[in-house]
Amino acid sequence: MEKEEDDDASQAGVNKASKGGIIYGDYLQLDKIVSAQVLQSEVKGNKIHDEHLFIVTHQAYELWFKQILFELDSVRHIFISGHVRDERNMLKVNTRIHRIVMIFRLLVDQFAVLETMTALDFFDFREYLSPASGFQSLQFRLLENKIGVPDNLRVPYNRRHYRDNFKGSDSEMLLATEQEPTLLKLVEEWLERTPGLEVDGFNFWERLQINIFDGLNQEKEKIEKMPDSEDKEELMAELVKQRETFTSLFDEKRHDHLMSKGERRLSYKALQGALMIYFYREEPRFQVPFQLLTSLMDIDTLMTKWRYNHVCMVHRMIGSKAGTGGSSGYHYLRSTVSDRYKVFVDLFNLATFLVPRHWVPKLNPNVHTFPYMAECCDSSYCSSEDSD
Amino acid sequence: MEKEEDDDASQAGVNKASKGGIIYGDYLQLDKIVSAQVLQSEVKGNKIHDEHLFIVTHQAYELWFKQILFELDSVRHIFISGHVRDERNMLKVNTRIHRIVMIFRLLVDQFAVLETMTALDFFDFREYLSPASGFQSLQFRLLENKIGVPDNLRVPYNRRHYRDNFKGSDSEMLLATEQEPTLLKLVEEWLERTPGLEVDGFNFWERLQINIFDGLNQEKEKIEKMPDSEDKEELMAELVKQRETFTSLFDEKRHDHLMSKGERRLSYKALQGALMIYFYREEPRFQVPFQLLTSLMDIDTLMTKWRYNHVCMVHRMIGSKAGTGGSSGYHYLRSTVSDRYKVFVDLFNLATFLVPRHWVPKLNPNVHTFPYMAECCDSSYCSSEDSD
Amino acid sequence: MEKEEDDDASQAGVNKASKGGIIYGDYLQLDKIVSAQVLQSEVKGNKIHDEHLFIVTHQAYELWFKQILFELDSVRHIFISGHVRDERNMLKVNTRIHRIVMIFRLLVDQFAVLETMTALDFFDFREYLSPASGFQSLQFRLLENKIGVPDNLRVPYNRRHYRDNFKGSDSEMLLATEQEPTLLKLVEEWLERTPGLEVDGFNFWERLQINIFDGLNQEKEKIEKMPDSEDKEELMAELVKQRETFTSLFDEKRHDHLMSKGERRLSYKALQGALMIYFYREEPRFQVPFQLLTSLMDIDTLMTKWRYNHVCMVHRMIGSKAGTGGSSGYHYLRSTVSDRYKVFVDLFNLATFLVPRHWVPKLNPNVHTFPYMAECCDSSYCSSEDSD
Amino acid sequence: MEKEEDDDASQAGVNKASKGGIIYGDYLQLDKIVSAQVLQSEVKGNKIHDEHLFIVTHQAYELWFKQILFELDSVRHIFISGHVRDERNMLKVNTRIHRIVMIFRLLVDQFAVLETMTALDFFDFREYLSPASGFQSLQFRLLENKIGVPDNLRVPYNRRHYRDNFKGSDSEMLLATEQEPTLLKLVEEWLERTPGLEVDGFNFWERLQINIFDGLNQEKEKIEKMPDSEDKEELMAELVKQRETFTSLFDEKRHDHLMSKGERRLSYKALQGALMIYFYREEPRFQVPFQLLTSLMDIDTLMTKWRYNHVCMVHRMIGSKAGTGGSSGYHYLRSTVSDRYKVFVDLFNLATFLVPRHWVPKLNPNVHTFPYMAECCDSSYCSSEDSD
């Protein structure tokens, strides 16, 4: 038998539990947690083993949804209260959003456990569940609302507004979250204040527009000088397309039109802020904001992967049968794996508008000091958010 | 906006929830689950944000421990009741053991979420937890006992027997699980009945012994014929070592001695059964048993990885400070990452005794039909285990 | 410093490498492997750091694709050669298919590494890649073909047949794999031979049909006896739907029609075999076949998750721009995340046809011995597949 | 069959590959990558299927090691060249170190694939590999050296210095990396320059010392006022212990002594910088440095988990037999899972020295502006690191 290392060190402690005070099981309220598994199949006299897994898995999901809501609310509070203006609070915002990312990563993996249940195992107790349905997860709907899934882009559920499928008090809670500032809205306001956008300051947007069209014109001249050929024609055609793309970027009316259709979600000003952060992400002041934008895309991506994994599991469990709640099951879920449900879709689409580095307006550190200086405030208004 | 596929199909359902019956939140008893997060820091007037994550993570662990115990008990029941003799029940045994593997895989990954909390965040609320400690997780100790971690190989906890750190009723429950048949014990009994071991039948063990020593003798002759050289000497030295290894394998007294020291855990007969399954794993009757042995090693491996990940996290959180329960913290946990806690350590060590395929005693399908014929029984004693 | 355990044991070895023979680097041909990273950006005088990650990630994908092809070919060989008739070979089939599952699981996770590259990093070297494109991965297309993605259900690539996008020899290799027996085809043939389907034997299909319609009739009688109510009407409506579903199951013509449209892929007989395995999965002889069917669904699910993760990454990298190979990029990839590409879609859809356990035709162990007796053969035709 | 979304959009591309230029397979040099799998068992006339997996897995590890070395070298270059003084480069440093973390996370998971090979499969070809051994992975040893595993803390390999197990040119390359500045050394120098440490400035260390001992004295007074009791005694004993802990923290001689024994690795000044970053991590200027310290601990943790997973796999594969390279196998590897190999062990141990927030010296934003102002430089010396 191998010799155990450091036996003495491992036994150097002093027992404290015997002195009274809270112990593990009470602290975690395990009496509630591990007594909450009541199998409907057992209640109905036909205990089916796998229902236990089904319950525990969903409870684990709900526990983590609670944690996500907790983080989300704390981040929203930092934004709403104005504490975000004190840039000391950006670490908290970033860390908590990143934590949500890590939780979603776990939740995507968690399907692997439920997938140890086969369609036949599920069939044995499925009838006892009706009309309960995952759609009824209040926390998941709240979470979607608080992040910013808009009410009017949701796929209806059996031709009814999603909220009408919840009972009174829950429905009200859902309505309330639709009316509160969403994470999307709060990020939008924050992006609109991105330093460097000021028209009387660095004036990023105008400079960028000038540089881009100068760049395109130079490209055009270069192409025109080429001898005629199929290649030349193609390059020119591509340039025309590119010019259209960038013309659309600087067309505020078109932006507003796209917003009205739900194809863009951030205001024109916020979009400018996001692009500014993209291009200047290495500036000290923009490093953490850039990470934040990346994490927001991570959340969208992981939520959509979660939905897709859910769809795959349901396909395997019930084939093309209706869901326990009466929905069309697989088809309903399939329709929610869509860019409609991507809240920060604009941050993805900005990739369409990247330009070569030498087209990006240059900062002069002697003139433009804002990228090196963080905003701090010690006023009561925007102090460090110590007591959340 | 992309066109959504199949709008009609997605709306083809009928709403059922409005008709009454159990709904999602009630089914899962979410009132208990999501109301069980009481922050001690908040109770003591200094709410610390990250305590919420700490609580939820531990609750998620406990939920999954409950599931593991549920699967474990059902498998033990199949063995204890004798249902395992009806080989129809092997699929259940295998599937449930595999499910435990998948859960442990998730639990190992789950540390990534808690690791988003830094040492400084933990420090802020750590004092409020004392004397609660992860060591006090009753379910984890039960789980260890039911799998078969032996009482006398456990590292003491602050120089006290592990069980003395639990209060009366819990301590009794722990004692009970020490006295019940463990998974290890049940697997041992099952392995002892491996078909092919019968001395008046195929007599695997004797045949194997003959083949191995015949094989070694032939090797020896081959080496002796080589001209003298350093290589020859080395080959001969290695052969001597090999012979010693195999001599020890067939030495029952030595086996019993190793068992008394805790270095082997399976009976001599069970070890023979395990090796038989290893060598004949492709025979139809041994395919599923072989998978089972593999999954049992998976459980051991994942539990030890879980312990090690735990150690790594604790090192980061508290450095070399004492644990909240008063243990030596890092050092105590480090000492539990040990082969002492590997229950199925024999199955790993059998890799030491593998031999070339042509040394394995040949089965003759015309004579030895047992590998093609499963045992079924329809008697009341060992019928299909329908109602677990 | 902690005391290291077992210093002596750790140093008990004898050095062998100095004696000559192959060493690690040569064995793995690392001269090839780690010298194959040539950055196009560097070649073109503008070295971009992140291109290295881009190359290595894709090379890792291709390495694993090679491994998957290797496993796939070996499994196909076991089926094609008839070795599968010796049920000893089922462990190999199962283990190798499961290995493919584990590799795909890794490949899905592997995106997390490439996602550390941002859209801006990619933009910096993207122009140098054209017209190279992931679509051109020969191994991935071979893999799809060998599993059984049918040529006529593939989404065209820029309005051209997928094969026309490959150069001569590659195109021929692709054509060849379309003409060889696919995994789907081989599994189909194997399912058609499922014991128990014989009309002059257990005659599963006829017994099942009788039981199902008997069951439905009894349901109907029960409902008819209920007093008139909305509930009664609904139950009756549901029963009618159920009857339609099952009528369709036993309608061979309808099956052939669905096959011609690509909505079913397995022959009518094979579908019967699959359902037989589903219902009798606990019988000793069907345990491993059932696992195989489950793993085949895992492959489909993981491939579709791989595609979806790919889509998500591309959306983030290039927004809605065209791919480097000239495709529509995001939209092309999005269209391949579809049930069209699910090869074993029938195995999922069978979940639609599950029935209560007491409707499943009973086996009598005294009469029906086939579920307990594996087929072995020692003839040259179907011997154990030792030398693959 | 479901209707595919957006068929038109998916076909909107233009084919480019036909126009010439580099294509996928050539770009990735797949001729090298996928032709490098030569099975020694096949060469020796006894092809064993699973050797292919063994080769591919190790090649995938080596590919990723190459990527890690590439990132590591680029980060070391930023430090060595002084570019790190321009804080714009911190995003690059951070992103690349984080990428290494993500790669290691994948590598830890990657064992799950190799674990689909059983001990028996491995036994069949193991003899052909000797004397090749994973120990001989040059890239892994380079990686350890470049991060900062010190030569004198390495476990010997069969009683020989690790470097003596490599052939001439490789041994020289290893020696060179021992003599170059390691990541540890570079981070140390950077930490020593942490703003706020200046004795004539904020003078963090002195202020901290004063605050801590003031705090401890106040605690002491509070305890002394308590009526005599067992509790009082215990509290006093704990206070004495705490005072000792902190006295040791401010004792430079003791620090030097611990360094000489290898129990500390960072200079006294660097340790101060690290603790400063810990305590003021929310200050804008310290947010990214704090993330960096966290990622460095992640690397250590993941490398140690990698080692441990390796140990577990080897235990399963060969039991307690010697390694193919002649080492003691399991026991050798077990001895490397040790804090000796944790390069940034000081960052973990700092958790021992955390103090309540109100003991941390207060910053006054009106006086201490350094936490809000990043250093930029446009001189040739420390400009933005564009061309790495």
Side-chain angles (χ1 to χ4, degrees), chain A residues 1-2 4-6 9-17 20-24 27-30 32-38 40 47 49-60 62-64 66-67 70-71 74 95-96 98-99 102-103 106 109-110 112-113 116-117 128-134 136-137 139 155-160 165 262-263 324-328 331-332 334-335 338-340 388, chain B residues 1-2 4-6 9-17 20-24 27-30 32-38 40 47 49-60 62-64 66-67 70-71 74 95-96 98-99 102-103 106 109-110 112-113 116-117 128-134 136-137 139 155-160 165 262-263 324-328 331-332 334-335 338-340 388:
Chain A
M1 169 116 294
E2 83 201 76
E4 301 309 324
E5 48 174 273
D6 226 347
S10 80
Q11 299 304 315
V14 173
N15 204 52
K16 285 182 168 175
I22 196 155
I23 64 162
Y24 182 82
Y27 175 52
L28 299 175
Q29 303 201 30
L30 294 184
K32 283 183 180 179
I33 299 289
V34 303
S35 72
Q37 292 74 34
V38 173
Q40 284 303 306
K47 182 178 168 184
H49 180 86
D50 279 20
E51 191 184 349
H52 200 280
L53 176 71
F54 188 79
I55 292 173
V56 165
T57 307
H58 282 84
Q59 287 172 337
E62 292 290 336
L63 266 182
W64 290 116
K66 168 123 200 223
Q67 185 61 35
F70 184 76
E71 302 296 347
S74 84
T95 304
R96 292 173 190 179
H98 176 68
R99 181 173 292 161
M102 295 305 283
I103 296 173
L106 183 77
D109 289 344
Q110 195 167 297
V113 176
T116 61
M117 184 175 80
Y128 306 122
L129 306 187
S130 179
S133 155
Q136 296 152 2
S137 167
Q139 289 196 120
V155 177
Y157 184 75
N158 300 338
R159 293 172 307 280
R160 296 209 306 187
N165 293 283
E263 293 187 37
T324 42
S327 82
S328 64
H331 293 290
Y332 166 71
R334 193 80 172 73
S335 73
S338 150
D339 285 354
R340 285 171 156 204
D388 62 316
Chain B
M1 170 115 295
E2 83 201 79
E4 301 309 323
E5 46 174 276
D6 227 347
S10 80
Q11 299 304 314
V14 174
N15 203 53
K16 286 183 168 174
I22 197 154
I23 64 163
Y24 182 82
Y27 175 54
L28 299 174
Q29 303 201 29
L30 294 185
K32 283 183 181 178
I33 299 289
V34 303
S35 72
Q37 293 73 34
V38 172
Q40 284 303 305
K47 182 180 170 185
H49 180 86
D50 278 21
E51 192 185 347
H52 199 280
L53 177 70
F54 188 81
I55 293 173
V56 164
T57 307
H58 283 84
Q59 288 172 335
E62 292 290 336
L63 266 182
W64 290 117
K66 169 126 199 221
Q67 184 63 34
F70 184 78
E71 301 295 348
S74 84
T95 304
R96 292 174 189 178
H98 176 67
R99 181 174 292 161
M102 295 305 282
I103 295 173
L106 184 77
D109 288 344
Q110 195 166 299
V113 176
T116 61
M117 184 174 80
Y128 305 122
L129 307 188
S130 179
S133 156
Q136 297 152 1
S137 168
Q139 289 197 122
V155 178
Y157 184 74
N158 301 337
R159 294 171 307 278
R160 297 210 304 187
N165 294 283
E263 294 185 38
T324 42
S327 83
S328 63
H331 293 290
Y332 166 71
R334 193 79 172 75
S335 73
S338 151
D339 284 355
R340 284 170 157 205
D388 62 316

Side-chain angles (χ1 to χ4, degrees), chain D residues 43 51 90 112 126 155 158 186 204 230 254 278 307 331 350 366 382:
Chain D
V43 168
E51 192 185 348
M90 284 307 290
R126 188 167 179 266
V155 177
N158 300 337
L186 294 164
F204 164 66
E230 201 182 329
R254 192 169 167 279
Y278 273 30
R307 291 179 207 274
H331 293 290
L350 279 183
N366 298 319
C382 68

Side-chain angles (χ1 to χ4, degrees), chain C residues 353-366:
Chain C
F353 304 111
L354 301 182
V355 298
R357 279 175 190 259
H358 60 276
W359 291 13
V360 176
K362 284 273 171 304
L363 284 163
N364 178 345
N366 298 319

Side-chain angles (χ1 to χ4, degrees), chain C residues 1 11 14-15 24 27 34 49 51-52 59 62 66-67 71 99 116 136 156 159-160 263 326, chain D residues 1 11 14-15 24 27-28 34 49 51-52 62 66-67 71 99 116 136 156 159-160 263 326:
Chain C
M1 171 116 292
Q11 299 304 313
V14 173
N15 204 51
Y24 183 81
Y27 176 54
V34 303
H49 180 87
E51 192 184 348
H52 199 281
Q59 288 173 336
E62 291 290 336
K66 169 125 198 221
Q67 184 62 36
E71 302 295 348
R99 181 173 293 162
T116 61
Q136 296 152 2
R159 292 171 308 280
R160 296 208 307 187
E263 292 186 38
Chain D
M1 171 116 295
Q11 298 304 312
V14 173
N15 204 51
Y24 182 81
Y27 176 54
L28 299 175
V34 303
H49 180 86
E51 192 185 348
H52 199 282
E62 291 290 335
K66 169 126 199 223
Q67 185 62 34
E71 302 294 348
R99 181 173 293 162
T116 60
Q136 296 153 1
R159 292 171 309 279
R160 296 209 307 186
E263 293 187 36

Side-chain angles (χ1 to χ4, degrees), chain C residues 1-2 4-6 9-18 20-24 27-30 32-40 47 49-60 62-64 66-67 70-71 74 95-96 98-99 102-103 106 109-110 112-113 116-117 121 125 128-134 136-137 139 153 155-160 165 261-263 265 323-328 331-332 334-335 338-340 388, chain D residues 1-2 4-6 9-18 20-24 27-30 32-40 47 49-60 62-64 66-67 70-71 74 95-96 98-99 102-103 106 109-110 112-113 116-117 121 125 128-134 136-137 139 153 155-160 165 167 261-263 265 323-328 331-332 334-335 338-340 388:
Chain C
M1 171 116 292
E2 83 201 78
E4 301 309 322
E5 46 175 275
D6 226 348
S10 80
Q11 299 304 313
V14 173
N15 204 51
K16 285 183 171 176
S18 53
I22 197 155
I23 64 161
Y24 183 81
Y27 176 54
L28 299 174
Q29 303 201 30
L30 295 185
K32 284 183 181 180
I33 300 289
V34 303
S35 72
Q37 293 72 35
V38 173
L39 283 61
Q40 285 301 307
K47 183 178 168 185
H49 180 87
D50 278 21
E51 192 184 348
H52 199 281
L53 177 71
F54 188 79
I55 292 173
V56 164
T57 307
H58 283 83
Q59 288 173 336
E62 291 290 336
L63 266 182
W64 289 116
K66 169 125 198 221
Q67 184 62 36
F70 184 78
E71 302 295 348
S74 84
T95 304
R96 292 175 189 178
H98 176 67
R99 181 173 293 162
M102 293 306 282
I103 295 174
L106 183 76
D109 288 345
Q110 196 167 295
V113 177
T116 61
M117 185 175 78
D121 298 318
F125 65 92
Y128 306 122
L129 307 187
S130 180
S133 156
Q136 296 152 2
S137 168
Q139 289 197 123
L153 289 181
V155 178
Y157 183 74
N158 299 338
R159 292 171 308 280
R160 296 208 307 187
N165 293 283
K261 295 202 302 173
E263 292 186 38
R265 316 275 172 98
T324 43
S327 83
S328 64
H331 293 290
Y332 166 71
R334 194 79 172 74
S335 73
S338 150
D339 284 355
R340 284 169 155 204
D388 61 317
Chain D
M1 171 116 295
E2 84 201 78
E4 300 310 322
E5 47 174 274
D6 227 347
S10 80
Q11 298 304 312
V14 173
N15 204 51
K16 284 184 171 175
S18 53
I22 195 155
I23 64 162
Y24 182 81
Y27 176 54
L28 299 175
Q29 304 200 29
L30 295 184
K32 284 183 181 178
I33 299 290
V34 303
S35 72
Q37 292 74 33
V38 172
L39 282 60
Q40 284 303 305
K47 183 179 170 185
H49 180 86
D50 279 20
E51 192 185 348
H52 199 282
L53 177 70
F54 188 79
I55 292 174
V56 164
T57 307
H58 283 84
Q59 288 173 336
E62 291 290 335
L63 266 182
W64 289 116
K66 169 126 199 223
Q67 185 62 34
F70 184 77
E71 302 294 348
S74 84
T95 304
R96 292 173 189 179
H98 176 67
R99 181 173 293 162
M102 295 304 283
I103 295 173
L106 183 76
D109 288 346
Q110 196 166 296
V113 177
T116 60
M117 184 175 81
D121 299 317
F125 65 92
Y128 306 122
L129 305 188
S130 181
S133 155
Q136 296 153 1
S137 168
Q139 290 197 121
L153 289 181
V155 177
Y157 183 74
N158 300 337
R159 292 171 309 279
R160 296 209 307 186
N165 293 284
K167 65 165 196 256
K261 295 201 300 174
E263 293 187 36
R265 317 274 172 98
T324 44
S327 83
S328 63
H331 293 290
Y332 166 71
R334 194 78 172 75
S335 74
S338 149
D339 285 355
R340 284 169 155 205
D388 60 319

